[in-house]
């Protein structure tokens, strides 16, 4: 068994007992905690396939405008974090909280569990604050909105659910 397989096996055996855990695809997992969705991705090492990285991250806020005061606040928060960091992705105007650790024989179940829990707690603690001050949506709201659109149909020009007219009315 190579290091990537060992890493995936440890993730699945450690977190797989939780009903909040889901395997999305090979080397990609998600855990729902509070209003956070924590993603776990196993990435092969750049130079050696036997040293995979495990990136654990939560999408904190979506659709937030890039403002200097927001970036300044995120940098200040990063300086206070014991691990991990906030990041901004222009695509989707996303704020993430990210931490990367070594996989393979270097990773242990307690560190993995603590990392996932801490990422979720940080994302859950800061999503409402960021939305209140800078706009955007919490990731839970984005997912719930998407599910409602899927269930009830498309939106009209006012952002309301567009109900289909039944034939014969």
């Amino acid at each position: 068994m190579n290091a990537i397989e060992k890493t995936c096996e440890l993730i699945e055996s450690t977190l797989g007992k939780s009903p909040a855990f889901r395997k999305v695809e090979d080397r990609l997992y998600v855990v729902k905690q509070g209003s956070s969705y924590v993603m776990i991705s196993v990435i092969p090492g750049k130079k050696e396939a036997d040293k995979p990285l495990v990136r654990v991250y939560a999408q904190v806020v979506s659709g937030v405008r890039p403002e200097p005061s927001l970036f300044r606040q995120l940098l200040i928060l990063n300086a206070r974090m014991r691990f991990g960091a906030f990041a901004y992705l222009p695509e989707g105007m996303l704020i993430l909280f990210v931490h990367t650790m070594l996989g393979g024989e270097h990773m242990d179940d307690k560190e993995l569990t603590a990392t996932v829990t801490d990422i979720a707690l940080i994302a859950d603690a800061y999503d409402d604050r960021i939305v209140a001050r800078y706009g955007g949506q919490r990731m839970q709201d984005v997912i719930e909105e998407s599910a409602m659109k899927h269930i009830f149909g498309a939106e009209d020009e006012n952002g309301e659910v567009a109900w289909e007219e039944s034939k014969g009315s």
Side-chain angles (χ1 to χ4, degrees):
M1 185 180 303
N2 69 32
I4 291 173
E5 291 168 341
K6 286 180 186 175
T7 301
C8 291
E9 184 178 282
L10 179 67
I11 291 168
E12 292 173 24
S13 67
T14 301
L15 302 175
K17 301 167 197 134
S18 168
F21 174 83
R22 294 285 181 270
K23 181 176 181 176
V24 177
E25 58 186 46
D26 286 344
R27 301 188 335 240
L28 181 63
Y29 310 91
V30 66
V31 177
K32 166 106 172 67
Q33 272 193 289
S35 64
S36 304
Y37 290 85
V38 178
M39 305 296 290
I40 303 151
S41 177
V42 179
I43 305 162
K46 297 256 185 211
K47 295 182 181 179
E48 294 182 46
D50 64 344
K51 292 191 178 180
L53 299 174
V54 177
R55 181 154 298 139
V56 183
Y57 61 96
Q59 295 182 358
V60 182
V61 177
S62 173
V64 65
R65 294 175 310 281
E67 297 179 17
S69 62
L70 168 65
F71 296 151
R72 181 179 184 279
Q73 188 63 46
L74 294 177
L75 286 171
I76 290 168
L77 290 171
N78 284 347
R80 296 179 183 159
M81 296 294 161
R82 66 184 178 105
F83 80 108
F86 285 98
Y88 183 83
L89 290 178
E91 305 83 24
M93 299 188 301
L94 293 171
I95 294 176
L96 307 175
F97 190 77
V98 183
H99 179 70
T100 303
M101 52 199 233
L102 289 174
E105 63 190 44
H106 304 286
M107 188 171 76
D108 78 13
D109 58 343
K110 290 179 182 73
E111 179 186 11
L112 175 64
T113 302
T115 299
V116 169
T117 300
D118 286 356
I119 295 284
L121 290 171
I122 290 166
D124 198 26
Y126 285 98
D127 59 0
D128 291 323
R129 296 177 196 178
I130 292 169
V131 168
R133 186 163 180 188
Y134 298 102
Q137 289 182 291
R138 297 177 316 153
M139 290 313 298
Q140 179 173 342
D141 297 332
V142 170
I143 291 169
E144 288 173 1
E145 183 178 290
S146 177
M148 294 303 284
K149 285 180 189 175
H150 180 73
I151 293 169
F152 293 114
E155 291 182 356
D156 64 16
E157 63 276 356
N158 298 320
E160 300 293 324
V161 173
W163 299 97
E164 285 188 26
E165 296 293 326
S166 62
K167 296 182 183 186
S169 294

